[in-house]
Amino acid sequence: MNPVNLIHKLPFQKRRYEELGIDIHQEINKAWGDKRFGLGIVWAGGFLWGGLSLFFFSVLMMLQVAISTLLIVSCAVGAGAICYMFVFRQDKYIEYFDKYEKWSKKEKRKYSWLTAGSMLFVMLSFYLCLVI
């Protein structure tokens, strides 16, 4: 279920797509679900990179390192290098997604909770570093 599809249920858009012979739902799903360059993959990569950067920044803040622009850029570059090495290089993420698609519903639920928990931990640690 893609929320963008709701916009295309408007009557004038339906008529226009029928005139053009386009199945807009199939096109949207292709744009979001493409394993190589889909918008979902781009967003997931961005969240991974940003979350890892925020984690590194939080650790350095806990160690009471002086905050500077160079520190922020270093965290982002370091996170990008790690993401590239373990996920993006030679399209490893496609292999990972193929493996994840074979998981049972129980495994998917377990790792979804683990992911949500780790994201919450990173955001909470960043917040606590700002407050303390």
Side-chain angles (χ1 to χ4, degrees), residues 33-86:
D34 182 32
K35 285 185 179 179
R36 190 161 171 94
F37 298 112
L39 294 173
I41 295 296
V42 171
W43 279 49
F47 279 117
L48 175 65
W49 193 344
L52 198 55
S53 298
L54 191 61
F55 175 72
F56 289 155
F57 188 68
S58 298
V59 168
L60 291 175
M61 285 178 60
M62 283 181 200
L63 298 174
Q64 297 183 351
V65 175
I67 299 172
S68 67
T69 305
L70 181 61
L71 176 72
I72 295 170
V73 170
S74 299
C75 289
V77 169
I82 290 172
C83 289
Y84 176 76
M85 297 275 300
F86 293 105

Side-chain angles (χ1 to χ4, degrees), residues 14-113:
K14 278 185 177 180
R15 284 192 303 272
R16 181 66 180 153
Y17 293 133
E18 286 174 4
E19 289 172 5
L20 296 173
I22 296 173
D23 181 6
I24 192 63
H25 300 293
Q26 181 181 2
E27 296 298 320
I28 290 171
N29 288 335
K30 186 170 62 172
W32 276 92
D34 182 32
K35 285 185 179 179
R36 190 161 171 94
F37 298 112
L39 294 173
I41 295 296
V42 171
W43 279 49
F47 279 117
L48 175 65
W49 193 344
L52 198 55
S53 298
L54 191 61
F55 175 72
F56 289 155
F57 188 68
S58 298
V59 168
L60 291 175
M61 285 178 60
M62 283 181 200
L63 298 174
Q64 297 183 351
V65 175
I67 299 172
S68 67
T69 305
L70 181 61
L71 176 72
I72 295 170
V73 170
S74 299
C75 289
V77 169
I82 290 172
C83 289
Y84 176 76
M85 297 275 300
F86 293 105
V87 179
F88 303 131
R89 184 176 58 179
Q90 297 174 347
D91 297 331
K92 287 182 188 176
Y93 63 93
I94 294 175
E95 295 172 23
Y96 298 150
F97 278 113
D98 290 340
K99 184 174 102 176
Y100 301 152
E101 287 175 353
K102 296 175 186 172
W103 281 356
S104 68
K105 202 170 195 173
K106 184 178 177 181
E107 284 178 307
K108 288 179 182 177
R109 189 176 300 122
K110 177 178 119 179
Y111 286 106
S112 295
W113 280 108

